[in-house]
Amino acid sequence: MIIAPHIRCQLGEGLLWSARESAVYWVDIIGQRVHRYSLADGATKSWTMPQKTGWLVERRAKPGFIAGMQSGFVELTLDPLMIRPIADPEPHLPDNRMNDCCVDHHGNIWAGTMDVPIEKATGSLYRLDSAHQVTKHDSDYLVTNGPAFSPARDYMYHNDTGRGVVYRFDVAVDGSIANKREFIRFREDWGVPDGMTVDAEGCLWIAHWGGSCVSRFTPDGERQRWITLPASQITNCMFAGDQLDRLFVTSAADGKPDEPLAGSLFEVDSGGVTGLAPNLFAG
């Protein structure tokens, strides 16, 4: 099912379920827009951003959002539109931008960067803590994507879309990560791994850029199920709704004028699978 058919994103991404508002947020990175869809009444609203925005997350004890923009981490409110810089982790890399993120159970944001032309492996993985301190935890990525945490909080998954690989890290009790290893290497006919989310059973749902589908992988890395979509560039997926049983999927129209539904926001049948509530940023 197509949601908000009047909205077509050049590069739809950054899905966020807001239980507070009973709404789904997503971004158009290239189009520099933030969109909101209300599950209560189907109403939509959009805001123009002053720069490329990869994602936004809700805050635990404060109104508004933290967002990842071309210039780094920022505080963001939408009505009225206000942006306050927090930190630029890569002032020495003007061709890089922030791309995807996830919040861990401690309330820290894990976010990656990428080289916009996708020519150099200058992307890194950063953590923003509640005191607004930024630390680097991994590097040498072409395109960082889809941080996601297992329900038991013992693993973190992270993609290098440019290399077609999903990595898995061990997560310690204090939230630190270690022991990076290859978890899934995409076959050529699958496309490449983009955004992803973990469901309540610990399975990993991955959007296939260039593969026209989302897939569910078991905790052992086996591709168990896939859902085909009428667009080739699938970018992100997320569970939403009061029961976290509604699966939303973003896509990209950039470079695909022959795909009439590319760039749409889709809702697909999860087959009764439910997701995990998103963590809120503690700062």
Side-chain angles (χ1 to χ4, degrees), residues 20 57-66 75-78 283:
R20 292 172 180 169
V57 299
E58 288 187 300
R59 308 176 79 169
R60 187 180 295 171
K62 298 179 181 180
F65 306 89
I66 303 296
E75 293 182 329
L76 171 70
T77 58
L78 295 173

Side-chain angles (χ1 to χ4, degrees), residues 124-165:
S124 294
L125 176 65
Y126 296 92
R127 184 179 69 185
L128 176 72
D129 66 24
S130 60
H132 290 186
Q133 298 299 307
V134 179
T135 50
K136 182 192 289 189
H137 291 264
D138 201 16
S139 59
D140 191 38
Y141 287 86
L142 283 167
V143 181
T144 58
N145 243 314
F149 290 87
S150 63
R153 304 168 179 174
D154 51 353
Y155 295 125
M156 185 187 80
Y157 304 96
H158 194 227
N159 295 342
D160 190 333
T161 301
R163 293 187 171 101
V165 176

Side-chain angles (χ1 to χ4, degrees), residues 24-267:
V24 171
Y25 284 88
W26 73 107
V27 303
D28 183 346
I29 298 176
I30 296 175
Q32 297 184 196
R33 303 272 281 174
V34 170
H35 303 291
R36 178 185 183 273
Y37 169 72
S38 169
L39 269 61
D41 59 11
T44 60
K45 189 169 184 178
S46 300
W47 296 264
T48 299
M49 296 292 108
Q51 53 184 288
K52 291 183 175 69
T53 302
W55 50 264
L56 64 163
V57 299
E58 288 187 300
R59 308 176 79 169
R60 187 180 295 171
K62 298 179 181 180
F65 306 89
I66 303 296
M69 291 189 165
Q70 179 90 38
S71 59
F73 298 96
V74 303
E75 293 182 329
L76 171 70
T77 58
L78 295 173
D79 288 318
L81 182 64
M82 296 179 62
I83 297 169
R84 189 182 76 81
I86 295 174
D88 180 0
E90 297 176 339
H92 58 296
L93 295 171
D95 289 334
N96 272 22
R97 65 165 174 82
M98 307 206 82
N99 194 49
D100 207 352
C101 89
C102 188
V103 182
D104 67 19
H105 68 284
H106 293 289
N108 302 307
I109 295 173
W110 293 82
T113 60
M114 61 172 283
D115 175 43
V116 174
I118 317 180
E119 296 172 349
K120 297 171 287 185
T122 55
S124 294
L125 176 65
Y126 296 92
R127 184 179 69 185
L128 176 72
D129 66 24
S130 60
H132 290 186
Q133 298 299 307
V134 179
T135 50
K136 182 192 289 189
H137 291 264
D138 201 16
S139 59
D140 191 38
Y141 287 86
L142 283 167
V143 181
T144 58
N145 243 314
F149 290 87
S150 63
R153 304 168 179 174
D154 51 353
Y155 295 125
M156 185 187 80
Y157 304 96
H158 194 227
N159 295 342
D160 190 333
T161 301
R163 293 187 171 101
V165 176
V166 183
Y167 299 102
R168 184 160 74 179
F169 296 78
D170 293 332
V171 180
V173 174
D174 65 0
S176 60
I177 60 171
N179 193 24
K180 175 185 179 182
R181 65 273 196 194
E182 186 174 304
F183 179 59
I184 302 167
R185 179 172 291 272
F186 266 42
R187 293 181 355 194
E188 187 173 345
D189 60 330
W190 288 358
V192 290
D194 207 301
M196 57 188 177
T197 190
V198 175
D199 65 31
E201 298 175 14
C203 292
L204 189 63
W205 292 76
I206 305 178
H208 291 234
W209 177 276
S212 304
C213 67
V214 292
S215 292
R216 187 186 196 224
F217 290 84
T218 69
D220 295 325
E222 177 188 352
R223 192 186 188 203
Q224 180 191 69
R225 180 186 171 205
W226 56 92
I227 302 170
T228 302
L229 290 149
S232 62
Q233 297 175 158
I234 307 304
T235 57
N236 209 330
C237 51
M238 174 208 63
F239 289 91
D242 293 339
Q243 306 302 316
L244 294 168
D245 58 352
R246 300 178 65 177
L247 183 60
F248 289 84
V249 179
T250 50
S251 62
D254 186 48
K256 296 295 178 180
D258 57 333
E259 295 184 11
L261 298 182
S264 298
L265 174 67
F266 302 98
E267 182 177 357

